[in-house]
Amino acid sequence: MKIQFFPENEYQTFKSIGASGAWWAQIVGGWNHIDDESGKPVRDRIAELLYNKETGIGMGVYRYNIGGGSKHSGKGEYSQPARATECFEIYPNEYDWNRDENAVYMMKKCVENGADEVIFFVNSPIERLTKNGLAHNKKHQLFHENIAKKNYDAFAKYCLDVTEHFINDGIPVKYLSPVNEPIWVWNGGQEGCFYRPRSVKNVFKVFVNELDKRDSLKNLKLSGAESGDLRWFNKSYTRQLLKDKNVRKRLDGVDVHSYCLPLPLPITIPFLNDRLGFVKRFRKWMDKKYPDVNIIMSEWTHMQGGRDYGMDSALVTATTMYEDFTLLNAVSWQHWIAVSEVDYCDGLIYINLDNKTFEITKRYYVTGNFSKYIKGGSKRIEVSSDDKNVLMVAFKKDDETVIILINNTEDEKEFSLPFEKDVLISVTDKNSNLKETKVNSKNISITPKSVTTVVIK
């Protein structure tokens, strides 16, 4: 297999890869017992594994959830205790910054290890500002907007007070996302708030007005609208979000979630489950309507039940990353949660609550095949080969080119580069975890069911 580069064909500029601290940081942030293998507190070791370039996979983005306060009130129905969150407000405009202590600890420790972009995101406004006094809708409330327009100003003020506090505390908060997955009804299980597209625009306008009053936040960008599925209403939310020129000035791009959830229908409708078709159509629409607006993929996880530690789920993750970088032209790619306590394919690392231990997945390592080696500011360039069964994406910055090769087949592959020199390869497969070796560029083997990163100086 011969690989060819076309560096003159440049695409988007890569920014970062990251993950969310929701639903786990408030647990792990209290785990200060010693990890036997590293000799460090477990919470510090997990932060290091996720964000340190030398001793971890070097992600750059940390998403911190500004919670709705349901943990304090004890109200609402949540599938796990950690999904009921804390908030900083004790009375209107009066705050206790010692709250959410464990989650704040993890955020700071991840920043210390290398997260240089922190995003604050909101699932639900704080309970005081919601119509029903909960951080989600009641069971019978379908498509119910749970915050009144009269409370938008107070909502913006609270979120920006929180953001301003942590920026002053040294946290590199670059973005604030006021709404998250506004298309869902959110009537239990976790915090959430439904918004119609026009309401999202109106919320953002209020946030911009409040931002304009604060010189200390002049560099803060807003992000959104983070619709929850690639198929439904992405264009509607995007159109409304970009309609207002003042809102548009405060955005670096449009944030989308890359889910394409299988529909629970008695018959299969291929068109509705064709994820790549929706990705391509959305990209084509953006190129036509908003060619200068970046797309940021701010949330995805492998929506499959059961804990999967192996390459099957890892290859789904790597393939989705490849598709989003090459077809959606995403400039940033972010996992949902970095750490998971449940039996689901949703974390890079699993934790066990009974003995406060953690386990690393192959998803973690294949994420590292991207995050550890692609530098911020790299340009994606065209790359191709004569073997269409191996997916590949390439990035170039200065004198370094990085190629990620995804082999979803059971076959070993041999390939060569159009020059002869030693190159670094990093392999994740059944037997290897980001295993680095130097090989000759004319004779590189790709193992079955693997992700291989090639670094060319």
Side-chain angles (χ1 to χ4, degrees):
M1 177 171 68
K2 295 181 180 179
I3 291 181
Q4 290 183 298
F5 297 100
F6 303 92
E8 67 277 9
N9 295 338
E10 293 184 342
Y11 302 95
Q12 75 272 31
T13 301
F14 171 83
K15 288 181 61 179
S16 53
I17 288 171
S20 164
W23 300 355
W24 64 268
Q26 61 267 58
I27 299 171
V28 174
W31 288 7
N32 59 3
H33 58 288
I34 300 301
D35 168 47
D36 292 338
E37 184 176 331
S38 66
K40 300 176 181 179
V42 169
R43 59 187 183 180
D44 294 4
R45 178 57 178 152
I46 287 177
E48 184 180 66
L49 284 168
L50 293 169
Y51 288 95
N52 193 289
K53 279 284 187 187
E54 302 301 322
T55 55
I57 59 172
M59 293 193 299
V61 179
Y62 185 90
R63 291 175 60 85
Y64 173 80
N65 179 220
I66 301 179
S70 50
K71 183 175 180 180
H72 305 299
S73 69
K75 297 186 296 184
E77 298 181 14
Y78 298 97
S79 53
Q80 274 86 35
R83 298 187 183 188
T85 67
E86 298 186 40
C87 74
F88 298 102
E89 183 183 88
I90 51 177
Y91 301 106
N93 302 315
E94 187 174 335
Y95 306 121
D96 179 358
W97 298 116
N98 293 315
R99 285 184 167 185
D100 211 18
E101 179 182 8
N102 291 346
V104 170
Y105 178 91
M106 287 307 301
M107 173 172 62
K108 290 182 175 181
K109 188 56 66 170
C110 290
V111 167
E112 182 182 310
N113 273 278
D116 56 5
E117 179 182 308
V118 174
I119 300 168
F120 280 5
F121 73 100
V122 181
N123 289 327
S124 166
I126 53 177
E127 289 179 331
R128 175 178 69 84
L129 300 177
T130 63
K131 292 178 180 178
N132 63 10
L134 302 174
H136 61 67
N137 281 332
K138 295 179 180 178
K139 293 295 183 184
H140 66 278
Q141 293 176 318
L142 302 181
F143 306 107
H144 167 81
E145 295 194 2
N146 202 24
I147 179 171
K149 290 182 181 179
K150 66 180 181 180
N151 286 335
Y152 285 0
D153 287 307
F155 176 35
K157 183 181 183 307
Y158 171 71
C159 292
L160 291 171
D161 284 351
V162 173
T163 303
E164 196 166 36
H165 167 80
F166 283 103
I167 287 177
N168 291 337
D169 201 29
I171 301 298
V173 186
K174 303 294 178 64
Y175 298 92
L176 171 62
S177 174
V179 303
N180 190 62
E181 298 194 340
I183 65 171
W184 303 132
V185 295
W186 297 123
N187 54 6
Q190 63 188 77
E191 295 184 348
C193 190
F194 169 78
Y195 297 88
R196 292 174 180 82
R198 186 172 295 179
S199 298
V200 168
K201 178 192 70 176
N202 292 333
V203 167
F204 272 73
K205 286 172 68 176
V206 171
F207 270 74
V208 168
N209 290 337
E210 182 65 27
L211 269 172
D212 288 344
K213 300 174 186 176
R214 306 188 186 211
D215 288 340
S216 62
L217 296 180
K218 63 183 179 181
N219 294 322
L220 182 73
K221 294 286 188 177
L222 297 176
S223 62
E226 306 208 57
S227 186
D229 192 300
L230 276 167
R231 293 166 294 185
W232 317 125
F233 305 107
N234 257 322
K235 294 176 184 177
S236 300
Y237 283 105
T238 298
R239 190 182 293 113
Q240 288 292 333
L241 194 63
L242 297 178
K243 182 179 288 188
D244 186 275
K245 64 179 182 180
N246 292 323
V247 170
R248 193 162 175 172
K249 288 177 183 177
R250 282 287 185 170
L251 298 170
D252 262 356
V254 204
D255 288 59
V256 302
H257 290 183
S258 204
Y259 299 111
C260 184
L261 308 179
L263 296 177
L265 297 174
I267 59 173
T268 301
I269 305 177
F271 170 78
L272 291 180
N273 291 323
D274 179 15
R275 179 183 180 277
L276 291 187
F278 283 94
V279 167
K280 292 174 183 177
R281 283 189 290 275
F282 185 66
R283 178 70 261 177
K284 184 178 180 180
W285 181 79
M286 287 292 294
D287 286 340
K288 181 180 179 181
K289 299 289 186 179
Y290 309 105
D292 298 325
V293 176
N294 286 329
I295 293 179
I296 297 153
M297 205 304 292
S298 56
E299 189 180 310
W300 179 88
T301 197
H302 186 187
M303 299 290 284
Q304 178 176 295
R307 291 192 173 192
D308 188 302
Y309 298 86
M311 286 303 299
D312 287 344
S313 179
L315 287 168
V316 173
T317 298
T319 300
T320 304
M321 295 176 78
Y322 157 81
E323 292 168 352
D324 288 350
F325 281 127
T326 60
L327 300 178
L328 198 60
N329 280 10
V331 300
S332 180
W333 201 94
Q334 297 150 29
H335 281 278
W336 168 219
I337 50 175
V339 178
S340 175
E341 61 167 307
V342 298
D343 292 329
Y344 210 69
C345 287
D346 58 350
L348 304 178
I349 296 172
Y350 286 122
I351 53 172
N352 303 303
L353 300 182
D354 52 352
N355 58 6
K356 297 183 179 180
T357 58
F358 66 90
E359 301 166 285
I360 300 176
T361 69
K362 292 290 184 179
R363 286 192 299 277
Y364 165 86
Y365 291 110
V366 300
T367 299
N369 278 99
F370 291 80
S371 59
K372 194 175 176 71
Y373 299 99
I374 308 171
K375 294 178 179 178
S378 297
K379 283 280 189 182
R380 184 170 75 84
I381 61 171
E382 185 177 350
V383 62
S384 66
S385 78
D386 47 6
D387 188 336
K388 303 307 178 186
N389 291 317
V390 175
L391 306 175
M392 58 184 65
V393 58
F395 295 87
K396 181 178 176 61
K397 183 178 182 182
D398 301 328
D399 63 343
E400 184 173 280
T401 300
V402 174
I403 321 170
I404 293 97
L405 304 158
I406 303 166
N407 182 10
N408 279 298
T409 76
E410 298 283 356
D411 302 321
E412 184 170 339
K413 306 282 185 175
E414 301 287 337
F415 77 87
S416 64
L417 296 170
F419 49 80
E420 186 165 4
K421 64 185 296 185
D422 285 345
V423 296
L424 176 74
I425 66 168
S426 178
V427 179
T428 299
D429 60 15
K430 180 180 179 180
N431 301 310
S432 303
N433 299 320
L434 293 173
K435 182 180 179 181
E436 293 187 349
T437 55
K438 283 194 174 180
V439 300
N440 187 279
S441 60
K442 288 292 185 181
N443 185 25
I444 303 176
S445 296
I446 306 178
T447 54
K449 308 278 277 187
S450 66
V451 180
T452 301
T453 302
V454 182
V455 181
I456 307 158
K457 295 287 188 183

